[in-house]
Amino acid sequence: MSNARPALRRPEGRLALALAFAAAVAVFLAIFLFGRANTPDYTATVFGQADTDAVRLKAQLATGVLGLAALQLLLALWMYRRLPGVRRVPGPVPITHRIVGVVLFALSVPITVHCVRAYGVQLTGSRVAVHSIAGCFFYGAFAAKVLLVRSRRLPGWALPLAGGALVVVVVVLWYTSALWHFNGDTVPALSFGHHHPPLG
């Protein structure tokens, strides 16, 4: 009986991985195609803020998302007992991890809605292209992680890989948007294509 369990888990694990991958691709393509078809509205607001005020607010929100992503990574390492010298995982740690994930996602939504409404998905200039593609990838990866979390038949690497990918893409999004704003509309290693026409 114990020999049958791994054999049963492998097909179920493969199916869970396939469904998660399919969901990631579907969400990525849906946002990408919608963003490409969208007519940019540079007057769009976020929480009532427009133009440079909206960009500043989004940069602040994105920095909050980055901080939450770092906290998520710390909590995940704690749960998997990968923090040096930590052997015990208190009960609140997994719950806190989930709550932080929900808050992170909720905080990302107004940023994304404004980006899609105001700019769509643009591929002109390396910074803008990387930012646009990373934004689509973020929600695809998030959809995959939600599906993977619900499966108990996965290989041990699947969930950490999905979570790690989310943290990396949050860093890329922050680097190509918030840092760009805070650093005077420039970031190292990428061209300086604007997300919007010059204001004022």
Side-chain angles (χ1 to χ4, degrees):
M1 194 72 173
S2 61
N3 292 336
R5 282 184 184 172
L8 286 172
R9 287 185 179 185
R10 266 188 224 110
E12 290 177 18
R14 280 197 290 266
L15 178 59
L17 287 172
L19 288 174
F21 180 77
V25 171
V27 171
F28 175 92
L29 286 175
I31 297 173
F32 181 85
L33 294 174
F34 179 79
R36 290 296 288 166
N38 179 65
T39 301
D41 176 11
Y42 298 120
T43 64
T45 62
V46 54
F47 295 127
Q49 302 296 312
D51 297 335
T52 53
D53 291 334
V55 174
R56 184 184 310 109
L57 177 57
K58 286 199 308 176
Q60 292 165 348
L61 291 172
T63 302
V65 170
L66 179 68
L68 290 172
L71 179 57
Q72 278 285 81
L73 178 60
L74 179 67
L75 292 168
L77 291 171
W78 195 349
M79 285 192 301
Y80 282 94
R81 294 178 174 85
R82 292 292 185 266
L83 287 178
V86 174
R87 293 193 178 90
R88 189 171 157 273
V89 182
V93 170
I95 296 168
T96 304
H97 182 75
R98 289 193 191 108
I99 292 171
V100 171
V102 170
V103 174
L104 186 157
F105 181 84
L107 199 58
S108 76
V109 171
I111 303 171
T112 303
V113 169
H114 182 268
C115 272
V116 172
R117 285 179 59 215
Y119 315 121
V121 171
Q122 299 183 23
L123 303 177
T124 53
S126 56
R127 182 194 66 84
V128 173
V130 168
H131 185 75
S132 293
I133 292 169
C136 299
F137 181 81
F138 172 81
Y139 288 99
F142 198 94
K145 186 171 184 286
V146 167
L147 289 176
L148 291 174
V149 163
R150 298 180 179 277
S151 175
R152 304 293 179 196
R153 309 283 186 178
L154 291 170
W157 53 263
L159 202 52
L161 179 65
L166 275 171
V167 172
V168 169
V169 78
V170 167
V171 172
V172 170
L173 286 166
W174 180 84
Y175 181 85
T176 54
S177 60
L179 180 62
W180 172 80
H181 170 73
F182 294 139
N183 199 42
D185 297 353
T186 179
V187 285
L190 293 173
S191 67
F192 314 132
H194 284 272
H195 227 356
H196 51 79
L199 299 168

